[in-house]
Amino acid sequence: MDNGTNPLKVAVIGAGYWGPNLARNFSAALDWELVAICDKDTARAAALARKVGFPAVVGSVDELLTGHDVDAVAIATPARTHHAIAMQALAEGKHVLVEKPLADRGDAGRQMVALAQERGLVLMADHTYCYTPAAIKIRDLVFGGELGEILYIDSVRINLGLVQPDVDVFWDLAPHDLSILDFILPGGLRPLEVSAHGADPLGAGKACVGYLTMPLAGGAIANIHVNWLSPTKIRKMVIGGSRKTLIWDDLNPQQRISVYDRGVNLDCQELVRGDVTERTEAAISYRLGDTWSPSLEEFEPLGRMVAQFHASITTKLPSPTDGSAALRVLAVLEAASRSLAEGGSNAAVDGSGIELQEVLR
Ligand SMILES: NC(=O)c1ccc[n+]([C@@H]2O[C@H](COP(=O)([O-])OP(=O)(O)OC[C@H]3O[C@@H](n4cnc5c(N)ncnc54)[C@H](O)[C@@H]3O)[C@@H](O)[C@H]2O)c1
């Protein structure tokens, strides 16, 4: 175990599409020692091991936990497997980093967080976008009051995506948008209800196109559009504020963030005469000010993320994507699934148990 100077030993479980990104970043970090790659497809694990300094190649989680000395594991296997692997690793006293979504069910996620707490271990989600320069800048602007009160958030995440075998498009893509909301909103992601509409126009057996709508604090609203069937890729978030509106276009590296001093002003002066229509018309004016694009630091988000995982273990301070953040995301996804099953009706978000886990925000 870490004595404050030695690197922590970590194994990456899952060497498919995303696991190699984790392995590369752990391998590059001086305070981590990547000791093993575990995948039930050992040829895949071996191919990855060759690229990241030849850590051990392991074919099962049992073999990893019994035969190798690790402080932590990072789980990049399909969502339906996260719970079993994480519970096994936590029971063996390992700190655990889990890919999004933390689990494929809310109760599974709650069990994982509870066991980590009971054992005094770190359980953290890889909500990658929360470690991007853009999200960090947006959070600073929101928390600094630059945008004013948040009025609405509109997020679009669409492309030709792999239809996942175990989760629908909400559980696959919306964790990104929801974790960003949780990160940038001062009160975190705490809608009381959500409504979800989805479609499976190709007969894949699960929603491949989805719309998620939820009220935010102070009468604001958020809409998230996720889609695996779009031939064009869009990653855009519009955050409308009472002072300014921000647009995050993640596919525009020259100008990922634009801040518009443009919008609608509602002046609240009392008019002595006139009906409601006249009053409303009279009170609206348009602001047509400048647009600016803040400069962003350059760094690899996963490098920050693995550094945060290390810091959470060594300092015991929670990360912005700790278990409670991951549970807030799962709570919204669960409610979205209920809403979907009920034809899009509003479904209450069950936030019970989440506050208990929260140490600091
Ligand atoms: N953070 C991000 O931006 C991001 C991006 C893509 C995927 N992901 C997440 O990463 C996770 C993995 O997704 P992927 O696209 O890499 O999947 P994948 O199917 O490409 O790879 C999964 C790998 O896990 C292995 N595996 C499955 N069960 C196992 C087990 N019990 N023990 C050992 N190995 C096992 C498989 O053999 C496979 O190699 C998912 O949770 C996904 O949501 C996150």
Side-chain angles (χ1 to χ4, degrees), residues 130-334:
C130 301
Y131 298 94
T132 58
I136 292 166
K137 174 61 81 176
I138 293 170
R139 180 182 155 107
D140 286 349
L141 292 172
V142 171
F143 276 62
E146 185 73 17
L147 307 185
E149 294 297 312
I150 301 297
L151 306 178
Y152 64 89
I153 298 183
D154 210 89
S155 193
V156 182
R157 188 173 301 279
I158 69 178
N159 58 282
L160 267 192
L162 284 179
V163 173
Q164 298 292 327
D166 52 346
V167 290
D168 67 12
V169 72
F170 291 101
W171 286 75
D172 183 40
L173 294 185
H176 292 308
D177 309 272
L178 294 170
S179 61
I180 292 165
L181 263 54
D182 187 60
F183 183 62
I184 64 168
L185 291 173
L189 179 72
R190 295 166 196 276
L192 297 178
E193 57 186 24
V194 303
S195 81
H197 293 270
D200 176 21
L202 300 183
K206 61 194 68 170
C208 294
V209 180
Y211 301 88
L212 190 63
T213 305
M214 70 200 93
L216 300 177
I221 189 167
N223 184 262
I224 294 170
H225 174 197
V226 282
N227 185 337
W228 281 328
L229 307 182
S230 164
T232 51
K233 183 169 179 174
I234 303 178
R235 297 274 183 274
K236 225 175 225 188
M237 186 176 276
V238 181
I239 305 171
S242 56
R243 295 187 60 226
K244 289 180 186 152
T245 294
L246 183 149
I247 298 186
W248 174 8
D249 182 354
D250 203 43
L251 301 184
N252 181 358
Q254 277 79 41
Q255 193 170 334
R256 269 189 225 281
I257 297 181
S258 309
V259 181
Y260 292 80
D261 184 12
R262 280 192 205 179
V264 177
N265 284 338
L266 276 181
D267 299 326
C268 297
Q269 76 263 25
E270 281 285 322
L271 292 189
V272 179
R273 285 186 296 148
D275 63 20
V276 173
T277 317
E278 278 175 336
R279 242 197 330 266
T280 308
E281 282 170 358
I284 287 181
S285 63
Y286 293 91
R287 218 173 47 254
L288 298 171
D290 293 337
T291 302
W292 64 288
S293 177
S295 64
L296 297 177
E297 271 188 82
E298 287 197 16
F299 53 81
E300 180 164 1
L302 287 181
R304 282 286 167 106
M305 197 275 299
V306 302
Q308 176 65 63
F309 186 37
H310 188 280
S312 294
I313 294 168
T314 51
T315 67
K316 311 259 186 274
L317 288 173
S319 82
T321 63
D322 64 2
S324 62
L327 289 185
R328 287 193 288 278
V329 169
L330 291 192
V332 175
L333 291 170
E334 268 202 318

Side-chain angles (χ1 to χ4, degrees), residues 13-19 38-41 44 59-61 75-79 81-82 85 99-101 126-129 162 164 172 176 302:
I13 306 174
Y17 166 62
W18 198 250
C38 170
D39 198 300
K40 58 186 186 181
D41 180 338
R44 206 177 260 184
S60 76
V61 176
I75 302 173
T77 55
T81 66
H82 291 177
I85 298 175
E99 266 314 318
K100 64 82 197 163
D126 174 20
H127 291 163
T128 313
Y129 279 92
L162 284 179
Q164 298 292 327
D172 183 40
H176 292 308
L302 287 181

